[in-house]
Amino acid sequence: MSLLWRCADILRSPFRTAGLGQVRTATKRAGGTVSNHGGSPGKRLGVKKFSDEYVIPGNILVRQRGSVFHPGQHVKMGRDHTLYATVPGFVRFYKVPGSRKDRKFVGIALNRGEKLPRDETIGGRSRFFGLVDLNTFTKEPAIQATAST
């Protein structure tokens, strides 16, 4: 009878016929290797100065990859698409109605309550020969400056 049971075992298990014996199967899937291991630091992108904040020339307004925000009035774009202020004033985020693809612009308003885009037919030009007269607009209120110190 034992010979009969051995023959039945051979027919039951496909691995015994090849002479492999016992075979272990994986209980978890094999994971691949990661080349960078997540070790690169963040690039600190995003909006640095928000709407209605007072800025001076050279302040960085937005750090970005590509042109998510476009430069508006009194704002320029650096070679890495960083937007920065060219005049002192207050930050404004706006869209131009009727422009293509709902572009988002960042501009500098010279006075606190001013809306952008600036209507030059009503308010006159704010720049002459690429320069702004710093004496014509109101600066940051002295109340805020004394309250913060």
Side-chain angles (χ1 to χ4, degrees):
M1 254 335 232
S2 65
L3 180 63
L4 186 65
W5 286 110
R6 253 188 250 155
C7 291
D9 272 346
I10 290 171
L11 292 175
R12 250 186 278 159
S13 175
F15 298 112
R16 289 199 181 239
T17 57
L20 296 175
Q22 192 175 8
V23 175
R24 289 186 68 189
T25 58
T27 56
K28 294 189 178 185
R29 292 188 61 179
T33 59
V34 179
S35 62
N36 203 10
H37 301 292
S40 60
K43 301 297 178 233
R44 277 74 172 173
L45 302 175
V47 177
K48 304 300 178 192
K49 297 287 184 181
F50 294 93
S51 188
D52 222 23
E53 276 193 61
Y54 184 78
V55 294
I56 59 174
N59 275 15
I60 293 175
L61 306 175
V62 179
R63 279 213 178 269
Q64 59 187 350
R65 293 290 172 260
S67 53
V68 177
F69 292 97
H70 294 271
Q73 294 175 341
H74 309 300
V75 173
K76 291 202 174 182
M77 184 183 289
R79 65 179 189 168
D80 63 343
H81 299 101
T82 297
L83 299 181
Y84 61 93
T86 57
V87 298
F90 300 92
V91 178
R92 293 280 186 269
F93 292 86
Y94 63 96
K95 292 182 180 179
V96 177
S99 69
R100 51 185 263 199
K101 291 188 179 180
D102 293 332
R103 279 189 174 177
K104 294 177 271 189
F105 290 92
V106 181
I108 302 295
L110 300 179
N111 300 316
R112 184 177 281 278
E114 191 177 352
K115 300 283 184 198
L116 290 183
R118 193 166 188 273
D119 189 12
E120 292 182 354
T121 58
I122 296 173
R125 292 175 59 184
S126 62
R127 294 178 80 93
F128 294 97
F129 304 111
L131 301 173
V132 173
D133 185 14
L134 298 178
N135 298 322
T136 59
F137 67 93
T138 59
K139 295 183 180 176
E140 186 175 17
I143 298 167
Q144 288 182 349
T146 57
S148 63
T149 58

